[in-house]
Amino acid sequence: DWDVDFACWCSYKYLNSGPGGIGGLFVHSRHAYTNLPRFAGWWGHDLETRFRMDAPYKPIPGAFGFRQSNPSVLTTMALLSSLEIFDSVGMDALVAKQRLLTGYLQLLITEQLSHHVTIITPHHPSQRGCQLSLLF
């Protein structure tokens, strides 16, 4: 346990869901019944009282209480397809491909564009992941 209170993440970049794709939220169990400010959303409302239009907002305990709305069907299906492909290929193959592609881009930039562009991301693959930050 890293003693993290809250964390959030997206799926548009590394999981290929695209803009507006599903995001994720972690809420530590000590905040399950928190009264922190939030945007009250239909999907975060208590299931037992959700359809009582006169009932005050009663959030579902935990991260579910922070949900805003239903996810988009199109981005959800794109995400599901990506996850199925990732599962069938395996992480070792994905990391190997990522290192090859990012390394090739690094090579091309270094050899052909170094007079216009500086790569400011660490050179070693284990320190940069699968992206390059460029300074123009």
Side-chain angles (χ1 to χ4, degrees):
D1 186 0
W2 291 353
D3 200 34
V4 173
D5 291 311
F6 301 92
C8 62
W9 58 92
C10 66
S11 61
Y12 68 87
K13 184 175 182 180
Y14 296 113
L15 297 177
N16 304 320
S17 71
I22 295 173
L25 174 68
F26 166 81
V27 177
H28 195 283
S29 59
R30 68 175 157 254
H31 301 294
Y33 296 94
T34 186
N35 286 325
L36 291 171
R38 69 179 82 205
F39 292 113
W42 180 263
W43 281 62
H45 196 287
D46 177 63
L47 295 174
E48 299 296 321
T49 61
R50 181 179 289 171
F51 293 101
R52 293 185 202 155
M53 299 305 171
D54 60 343
Y57 179 73
K58 181 180 175 190
I60 299 170
F64 282 131
F66 288 86
R67 291 186 301 182
Q68 294 293 300
S69 182
N70 58 306
S72 160
V73 173
L74 295 177
T75 57
T76 302
M77 293 311 298
L79 178 59
L80 178 60
S81 296
S82 287
L83 293 174
E84 288 171 346
I85 292 168
F86 294 164
D87 189 44
S88 69
V89 172
M91 283 306 297
D92 290 340
L94 289 172
V95 170
K97 184 75 164 198
Q98 163 256 299
R99 288 190 176 187
L100 284 172
L101 289 172
T102 307
Y104 184 56
L105 177 61
Q106 182 180 24
L107 176 73
L108 290 175
I109 291 171
T110 301
E111 288 184 353
Q112 299 181 22
L113 299 173
S114 61
H115 53 288
H116 297 291
V117 179
T118 303
I119 298 173
I120 59 175
T121 310
H123 180 75
H124 198 273
S126 67
Q127 295 179 327
R128 70 162 183 253
C130 62
Q131 63 92 35
L132 297 175
S133 295
L134 308 176
L135 180 63
F136 293 88

